Amino acid sequence: MAEKFPNIKTINEYNDMLGVETLNPLVSVIDLSKAKLMRHMRHTFSFYTIYLKDEKNCDLIYGRRYYDYQKGSVVCLAPGQVIGTEDTGEEFQPQGWALCFDPELIRGTSLGKTIREYSFFSYEVNEALHLSEAERRIFIDCLTLIKQELTHSIDRMSKKIISNNIELLLNYCLRFYERQFITRENANHDVLIRFEKLLDEYFLSEKPVNNGFPTVKHCATELCLSPNYFGDLVKKEIGRSAQEFIQEHAINIAKEKVLDPHKTISQVAFDMGFQYPQHFSRLFKKVVGQTPNEYRSSHVSQLN
């Protein structure tokens, strides 16, 4: 049975927990250094939350993993994700900043239409964004713009301006993650090597027959990464999606199997984890430019 955690449903409820004023029930910018002393807890939110942690004060648990926080780490949480750490009974003074915004705030806005494109909301905490000092200043400047608008009297432009400024902050996060992917090039290359080895071992074992065609989620889990972070990393490194890489790698391995005269194309398809041979044939033609039978025939004719 899945472990249940308390859910903080509203931004007003969270502000009350921290002892800070609610300026708008749908959005809040919080200077955590001005919040009251807190005790650790594991919980979920019903709203989006972005943390900029300025000081290490705990070993945070996200999902089932521990993450040792470093100064200048940004973590983005979508509604329903478990965050926090076990209650030790000790109180602490939180540091850094938090931006909370309710899904209702962005409903009908340009951000509401694109929010799912910000895949870092589903990254694991150990895939946090680590800011340079210049990036940190930009991040806080964006929070300041949102905070200033919250103190402005509400008018017909308020929702649009606030959501646009949140969108600006998220776009900066995308830029900063791009930089992080580049600066971690060696580590990323190591992930790709392990990814390729994982696929080789998978397709040369009985796993395709027993478990089916490998998914991006399966590969990410085996590499100890979240599916979204893994997918973004692969796309950045090779210019193709992780799914396309898996498919192309599978077909390259399948080429040798197709040339085995003792196997039917259907047998090769099942050996590779495809539930339906026609799906295998369709993918094979897409990658190779020939159907499996055409590929087999062309190689037989070359040998005669």
Side-chain angles (χ1 to χ4, degrees), residues 3 7 13 15 33 55 58-59 108 122 156 219 230 295:
E3 192 175 357
N7 180 53
E13 180 184 350
N15 286 341
S33 68
E55 297 292 344
C58 67
D59 291 329
S122 296
R156 68 182 186 88
C219 294
F230 175 60
Y295 183 80

Side-chain angles (χ1 to χ4, degrees), residues 58-99:
C58 67
D59 291 329
L60 187 69
I61 308 174
Y62 178 94
R64 296 186 178 277
R65 297 184 184 175
Y66 281 89
Y67 176 67
D68 186 15
Y69 254 131
Q70 301 299 321
K71 181 179 173 70
S73 299
V74 174
V75 176
C76 303
L77 307 170
Q81 291 174 303
V82 180
I83 192 74
T85 189
E86 304 294 351
D87 186 1
T88 61
E90 297 179 7
E91 291 187 328
F92 69 96
Q93 177 62 59
Q95 297 290 332
W97 295 83
L99 168 65

Side-chain angles (χ1 to χ4, degrees), residues 259 288 290-304:
L259 296 180
V288 180
Q290 295 176 304
T291 66
N293 279 319
E294 289 170 345
Y295 183 80
R296 175 180 281 178
S297 297
S298 68
H299 278 263
V300 169
S301 64
Q302 289 173 15
L303 293 174
N304 293 334

Side-chain angles (χ1 to χ4, degrees), residues 61-208:
I61 308 174
Y62 178 94
R64 296 186 178 277
R65 297 184 184 175
Y66 281 89
Y67 176 67
D68 186 15
Y69 254 131
Q70 301 299 321
K71 181 179 173 70
S73 299
V74 174
V75 176
C76 303
L77 307 170
Q81 291 174 303
V82 180
I83 192 74
T85 189
E86 304 294 351
D87 186 1
T88 61
E90 297 179 7
E91 291 187 328
F92 69 96
Q93 177 62 59
Q95 297 290 332
W97 295 83
L99 168 65
C100 308
F101 61 97
D102 194 286
E104 285 300 316
L105 175 79
I106 60 174
R107 201 86 66 194
T109 68
S110 63
L111 179 56
K113 296 183 180 73
T114 60
I115 188 68
R116 294 186 182 279
E117 296 176 12
Y118 297 98
S119 52
F120 48 74
F121 276 109
S122 296
Y123 288 179
E124 296 281 358
V125 167
N126 63 338
E127 299 154 349
L129 175 61
H130 303 290
L131 302 182
S132 68
E133 185 54 39
E135 290 169 344
R136 180 182 173 278
R137 286 196 297 270
I138 292 172
F139 191 98
I140 293 176
D141 285 345
C142 289
L143 294 181
T144 302
L145 286 173
I146 299 167
K147 182 88 169 180
Q148 286 175 347
E149 188 58 32
L150 291 178
T151 61
H152 191 281
S153 57
I154 296 176
D155 57 33
R156 68 182 186 88
M157 296 300 297
S158 298
K159 179 177 178 179
K160 184 173 184 178
I161 291 173
I162 292 171
S163 64
N164 284 350
N165 283 329
I166 294 173
E167 190 170 14
L168 176 64
L169 175 63
L170 297 182
N171 285 333
Y172 271 118
C173 287
L174 279 179
R175 170 181 282 179
F176 299 155
Y177 259 116
E178 290 273 316
R179 184 269 309 154
Q180 184 161 295
F181 281 133
I182 292 169
T183 55
R184 294 184 176 185
E185 187 175 350
N186 290 338
N188 295 344
H189 184 64
D190 179 62
V191 170
L192 291 178
I193 291 173
R194 290 190 291 126
F195 182 25
E196 203 162 353
K197 182 179 179 183
L198 172 69
L199 292 176
D200 284 337
E201 292 174 350
Y202 190 95
F203 285 117
L204 296 176
S205 70
E206 295 299 314
K207 289 180 180 178

Side-chain angles (χ1 to χ4, degrees), residues 3-101:
E3 192 175 357
K4 290 189 176 181
F5 303 97
N7 180 53
I8 301 171
K9 295 182 179 179
T10 68
I11 289 173
N12 188 61
E13 180 184 350
Y14 189 48
N15 286 341
D16 286 346
M17 285 177 57
L18 295 174
V20 298
E21 182 183 4
T22 298
L23 298 176
N24 185 311
L26 296 182
V27 59
S28 184
V29 176
I30 305 166
D31 180 349
L32 295 172
S33 68
K34 297 179 180 177
K36 66 181 183 182
L37 294 177
M38 300 289 293
R39 284 176 58 166
H40 296 298
M41 62 181 291
R42 299 194 71 194
H43 58 277
T44 61
F45 294 114
S46 291
F47 43 86
Y48 291 94
T49 308
I50 301 174
Y51 284 112
L52 168 60
K53 301 294 285 186
D54 269 349
E55 297 292 344
K56 175 187 170 182
N57 55 36
C58 67
D59 291 329
L60 187 69
I61 308 174
Y62 178 94
R64 296 186 178 277
R65 297 184 184 175
Y66 281 89
Y67 176 67
D68 186 15
Y69 254 131
Q70 301 299 321
K71 181 179 173 70
S73 299
V74 174
V75 176
C76 303
L77 307 170
Q81 291 174 303
V82 180
I83 192 74
T85 189
E86 304 294 351
D87 186 1
T88 61
E90 297 179 7
E91 291 187 328
F92 69 96
Q93 177 62 59
Q95 297 290 332
W97 295 83
L99 168 65
C100 308
F101 61 97

